């Protein structure tokens, strides 16, 4: 049940969204949370709000600690509506004249969402604010993952309120990292990184360096989604460092859709060939596996193989969907190739190859296609092709 005490005087007054399963195209099979933090000091501060439909629940949670009208100000670390949608309802309750602290770009973005009616107070990067025994430092984190994003660091409690960074879409009564199985927690954190932050990896690497340079002690990380890291905040920072480097593993992914079971037969033979070269490999049918789960596996794979039958002189719609999604997330350090069956024209392999090249993925060759149904000889060719790809992966990861 919320609210829950994070440390003495700081409460998570956010909400659990148990049943959300699609978060703007990302599959949230474990639901999510929108965390918001009430800090009770000489001044009473609310850090972030929640999605609009949950605004009343947020205010109910706050009311269990303090009359919302006693809140002195709001800090908005991020303008995306899952954290600011409740702001109009909150301000209406606490008083429209109360300050809303945000980054400079936060002011701009909040105005674009909610108009000019709030008392916006933009703060500079590394600006400070004392609220009693606590002092906050604001750290701009532009494009992580919106232009307005910032962190708020509580110097007194050594807590980093990190907005989306270090988040996970995970709904549960458990609120801390030591209450969740690490394998589940870090899978969700990796999926979040792969689908939300991957394209900003260079900025994340720099940010980690900057924060390390500030030599601030971090005892706890409070993200706006999922659990709070109190047992081992260093572990998630290390994980981000590793993910941001985007060094591929000796791993391939075979991603495909199929029309009359020919492309899937090719995929299975290719997979056997790759595996026989000692490379970790798994198949992902785009009909069954969500694009965001596939993308999580793509993130640390060296080779990306994409298969599609030719349909109406081009690729299958599910494959087009995935290629568009992957392109946006800008994977790097990868080799790739296309394959697929066709009836009479066979454009799919060329279309996929062009798309992979546009993403900067180095093509292993011009791809492999089979007319109608692969026979024994065709499947042998697929297997050998897989071995060639496996050998290329193994060689690049030595
Ligand atoms: Fe969780 Fe970028 O919002």
């Amino acid at each position: 049940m919320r609210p829950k005490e994070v440390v003495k005087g700081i409460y998570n007054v956010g909400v659990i969204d148990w049943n959300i399963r699609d978060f703007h195209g990302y599959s949230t099979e474990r639901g999510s949370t929108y965390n918001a933090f009430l800090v009770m000091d000489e001044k009473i501060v609310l850090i972030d709000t929640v999605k609009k439909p949950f605004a009343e629940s947020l205010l109910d949670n706050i009311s269990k600690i303090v009359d919302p009208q006693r809140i002195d100000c709001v800090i908005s670390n991020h303008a995306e509506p899952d954290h600011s949608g409740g702001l109009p309802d909150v301000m209406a309750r606490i008083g429209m004249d109360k300050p809303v602290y945000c980054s400079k770009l936060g002011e701009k973005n909040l105005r674009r969402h909610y108009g000019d009616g709030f008392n916006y107070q933009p703060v500079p990067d590394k600006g400070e604010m004392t609220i009693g025994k606590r002092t906050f430092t604001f750290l701009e984190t532009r494009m992580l993952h919106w232009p307005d994003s910032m962190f708020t660091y509580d110097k007194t409690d050594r807590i980093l309120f990190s907005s989306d960074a270090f988040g996970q879409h995970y709904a549960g009564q458990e609120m801390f990292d030591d209450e969740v199985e690490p394998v589940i927690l870090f899978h969700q954190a990796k999926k979040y990184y792969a689908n939300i932050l991957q394209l900003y990896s260079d900025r994340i690497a720099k940010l980690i360096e900057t924060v390390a340079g500030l030599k601030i002690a971090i005892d706890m990380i409070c993200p706006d989604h999922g659990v709070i890291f109190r047992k081992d905040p260093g572990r998630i920072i290390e994980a981000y460092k590793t993910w941001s480097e985007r060094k591929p593993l000796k791993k391939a992914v075979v991603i495909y859709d199929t029309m009359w079971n020919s492309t899937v037969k090719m995929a299975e033979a290719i997979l056997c060939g790759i595996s026989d070269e000692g490379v970790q490999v798994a198949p992902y049918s785009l009909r069954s596996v969500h694009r965001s789960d596939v993308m999580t596996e793509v993130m640390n794979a060296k080779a990306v193989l994409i298969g599609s039958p030719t349909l109406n002189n081009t690729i299958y719609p599910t494959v087009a969907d995935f290629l568009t999604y992957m392109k946006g997330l800008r994977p790097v350090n990868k080799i790739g190739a296309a394959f697929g069956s066709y009836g009479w024209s066979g454009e799919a392999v060329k279309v996929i190859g062009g798309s992979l090249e546009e993403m900067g993925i180095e093509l292993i060759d011009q791809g492999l296609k089979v007319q109608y149904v692969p026979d024994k000889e065709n499947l042998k060719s697929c297997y050998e092709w897989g071995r060639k790809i496996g050998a290329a992966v193994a060689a690049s990861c030595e």
Side-chain angles (χ1 to χ4, degrees):
M1 292 294 289
R2 306 285 174 102
K4 272 193 177 178
E5 194 172 58
V6 177
V7 292
K8 195 167 169 45
I10 299 181
Y11 300 86
N12 185 353
V13 287
V15 299
I16 303 173
D17 192 351
W18 293 101
N19 293 307
I20 186 168
R21 290 294 180 268
D22 184 313
F23 199 104
H24 54 52
Y26 171 141
S27 72
T28 46
E29 66 278 4
R30 284 185 174 269
S32 194
T33 70
Y34 314 114
N35 300 333
F37 300 95
L38 186 71
V39 184
M40 302 293 293
D41 208 311
E42 284 172 27
K43 282 189 178 165
I44 299 174
V45 181
L46 177 66
I47 302 178
D48 290 325
T49 70
V50 296
K51 255 188 186 174
K52 187 168 180 55
F54 296 95
E56 269 312 308
S57 301
L58 168 69
L59 287 162
D60 285 349
N61 289 340
I62 293 169
S63 299
K64 289 173 190 161
I65 310 292
V66 68
D67 179 347
Q69 291 187 334
R70 287 189 55 210
I71 290 175
D72 292 288
C73 63
V74 175
I75 294 172
S76 174
N77 279 332
H78 180 26
E80 194 165 6
D82 50 329
H83 309 297
S84 71
L87 195 56
D89 290 331
V90 166
M91 298 314 292
R93 184 78 69 90
I94 72 174
M96 292 296 282
D97 57 332
K98 302 274 178 75
V100 176
Y101 295 96
C102 53
S103 67
K104 276 184 204 156
L105 291 173
E107 178 186 4
K108 193 174 160 200
N109 288 356
L110 288 169
R111 282 186 193 277
R112 290 292 303 158
H113 281 79
Y114 308 109
D116 300 326
F118 302 150
N119 175 14
Y120 297 106
Q121 295 291 329
V123 294
D125 182 39
K126 301 191 183 64
E128 295 203 332
M129 179 170 82
T130 298
I131 60 164
K133 75 179 175 80
R134 292 179 179 84
T135 297
F136 292 144
T137 306
F138 303 108
L139 299 169
E140 271 192 4
T141 57
R142 281 189 194 189
M143 294 317 300
L144 294 178
H145 66 122
W146 272 28
D148 52 82
S149 301
M150 72 174 190
F151 290 170
T152 297
Y153 174 64
D154 169 359
K155 282 167 91 169
T156 314
D157 294 296
R158 312 206 303 188
I159 297 176
L160 186 69
F161 296 96
S162 62
S163 183
D164 276 336
F166 310 116
Q168 338 88 47
H169 286 306
Y170 179 88
Q173 295 294 1
E174 18 345 327
M175 200 177 72
F176 296 103
D177 54 347
D178 48 284
E179 297 172 331
V180 179
E181 284 288 331
V183 68
I184 295 171
L185 172 58
F186 277 84
H187 175 73
Q188 289 302 326
K190 180 183 167 192
K191 180 173 177 178
Y192 191 94
Y193 186 96
N195 288 278
I196 307 275
L197 298 167
Q198 180 174 184
L199 71 164
Y200 305 115
S201 287
D202 292 343
R203 284 175 180 269
I204 287 169
K206 265 193 198 136
L207 176 71
I208 291 172
E209 261 178 41
T210 305
V211 172
L214 294 174
K215 299 205 183 311
I216 55 175
I218 298 173
D219 288 349
M220 200 179 282
I221 296 176
C222 292
D224 276 354
H225 296 290
V227 303
I228 291 166
F229 295 90
R230 71 173 173 190
K231 183 186 173 200
D232 190 2
R235 184 169 170 189
I236 187 69
I237 294 172
E238 270 308 305
Y240 265 52
K241 208 171 156 197
T242 301
W243 296 331
S244 69
E245 288 167 0
R246 290 178 292 174
K247 276 193 195 147
L249 303 179
K250 194 170 150 188
K251 169 179 166 181
V253 284
V254 181
I255 302 159
Y256 64 91
D257 204 342
T258 195
M259 194 188 310
W260 295 110
N261 288 327
S262 290
T263 302
V264 64
K265 284 179 185 152
M266 293 179 73
E268 285 163 0
I270 292 163
L271 186 135
C272 287
I274 295 171
S275 180
D276 283 352
E277 288 294 326
V279 170
Q280 180 193 338
V281 61
Y284 299 95
S285 161
L286 292 169
R287 201 76 66 87
S288 312
V289 186
H290 195 271
R291 66 175 87 82
S292 53
D293 290 312
V294 179
M295 206 54 222
T296 308
E297 296 306 320
V298 166
M299 183 167 75
N300 61 7
K302 178 65 190 175
V304 182
L305 288 305
I306 309 270
S308 173
T310 295
L311 175 68
N312 301 329
N313 303 110
T314 188
I315 54 179
Y316 229 52
T318 47
V319 177
D321 170 283
F322 181 73
L323 287 170
T324 301
Y325 188 69
M326 180 163 73
K327 185 180 178 187
L329 289 164
R330 297 180 213 158
V332 298
N333 302 327
K334 307 218 181 287
I335 55 176
F339 65 95
S341 74
Y342 70 101
W344 51 96
S345 55
E347 290 90 344
V349 164
K350 196 171 173 197
V351 172
I352 293 167
S355 181
L356 293 176
E357 277 190 313
E358 263 181 41
M359 290 181 223
I361 294 176
E362 185 191 333
L363 286 188
I364 295 164
D365 60 22
Q366 293 311 301
L368 187 65
K369 55 185 181 182
V370 167
Q371 191 172 26
Y372 289 116
V373 179
D375 60 17
K376 212 171 161 187
E377 276 308 303
N378 295 140
L379 291 175
K380 193 162 175 284
S381 300
C382 290
Y383 172 81
E384 293 302 335
W385 195 66
R387 287 205 76 148
K388 181 173 100 168
I389 290 159
V393 172
S396 69
C397 294
E398 272 169 359

